[in-house]
Amino acid sequence: MQLLISDSNIFIDMEVSNLTKKMFELPYRFAVPDILYYEELEEEHKNLLEYGLKLKRVSSKSIIFVDSVLSKYRKIGFYDKLALATARQESCPLVTGDRALREAGIKEGIEIFGTIWLVEALIKHSIITVDEAKEAYKLMRENGRRLPWEFIKKRLEIEED
């Protein structure tokens, strides 16, 4: 099963749309840097470990990488830089809903997936229906999640055809 490193933003999108548990039914292993989990997710998202979230120890080489990109990507927080470094360390894609992190990942040659990709994967693997995806997006929008709403609307229209 392919490993995917996630930032905390993805879990917020999935949580507000009631898709967190379902995302762990996908044929992927999800992981986050251990520090990110303990500092940003543990208190409000303890269920992630029960669902199968893996914690990855950040290597000293990755910490050096984070240090080297601190000034290069000023719009990205420290924990997001850890997620970027961990995806690089593990040679796997990064799943993020953060535009600045997405752009940095692309510049660093890391494959990037996002919230839309996750929702479409849930549809593709028959874990949710298009109607359930519409409801999930509605919840994300109501909760102020920042996504390309016009693009999503067009994608859902395609799915119905």
Side-chain angles (χ1 to χ4, degrees):
M1 240 190 283
Q2 183 178 22
L3 176 66
L4 303 174
I5 301 297
S6 299
D7 70 350
S8 56
N9 192 304
I10 275 300
F11 296 112
I12 296 167
D13 286 350
M14 294 296 103
E15 194 71 32
V16 301
S17 61
N18 300 316
L19 294 177
T20 307
K21 188 174 183 179
K22 292 181 185 245
M23 81 181 256
F24 286 94
E25 294 176 30
L26 288 166
Y28 304 104
R29 290 181 301 131
F30 291 92
V32 295
D34 55 358
I35 301 166
L36 183 151
Y37 176 78
Y38 293 121
E39 296 294 324
E40 289 198 333
L41 296 171
E42 182 179 35
E43 190 173 313
E44 293 184 36
H45 302 280
K46 288 184 183 200
N47 57 339
L48 294 175
L49 294 180
E50 295 169 19
Y51 295 154
L53 181 69
K54 304 296 179 205
L55 304 183
K56 288 289 179 182
R57 184 174 218 72
V58 182
S59 71
S60 57
K61 188 176 177 182
S62 291
I63 295 293
I64 292 167
F65 172 77
V66 169
D67 191 46
S68 75
V69 297
L70 282 174
S71 61
K72 188 175 180 182
Y73 302 116
R74 294 181 188 264
K75 292 182 181 180
I76 302 172
F78 176 73
Y79 297 112
D80 285 343
K81 288 175 184 161
L82 280 177
L84 178 70
T86 305
R88 186 173 179 262
Q89 166 187 306
E90 301 295 324
S91 300
C92 67
L94 174 66
V95 185
T96 180
D98 182 285
R99 179 182 293 161
L101 182 54
R102 171 184 292 276
E103 291 170 2
I106 291 168
K107 285 180 184 175
E108 295 300 324
I110 295 168
E111 189 173 12
I112 303 292
F113 300 138
T115 301
I116 296 168
W117 178 86
L118 266 179
V119 172
E120 289 183 355
L122 289 166
I123 294 168
K124 177 182 169 189
H125 291 281
S126 301
I127 296 169
I128 65 171
T129 65
V130 172
D131 286 340
E132 289 171 314
K134 287 180 180 181
E135 181 60 26
Y137 283 130
K138 179 181 172 210
L139 291 169
M140 286 183 217
R141 190 171 202 156
E142 288 172 355
N143 281 279
R145 304 308 297 155
R146 290 185 228 147
L147 293 166
W149 296 112
E150 284 303 312
F151 177 79
I152 290 168
K153 182 179 175 188
K154 289 177 185 170
R155 295 294 295 170
L156 290 173
E157 288 170 5
I158 291 168
E159 286 291 332
E160 290 183 319
D161 293 341

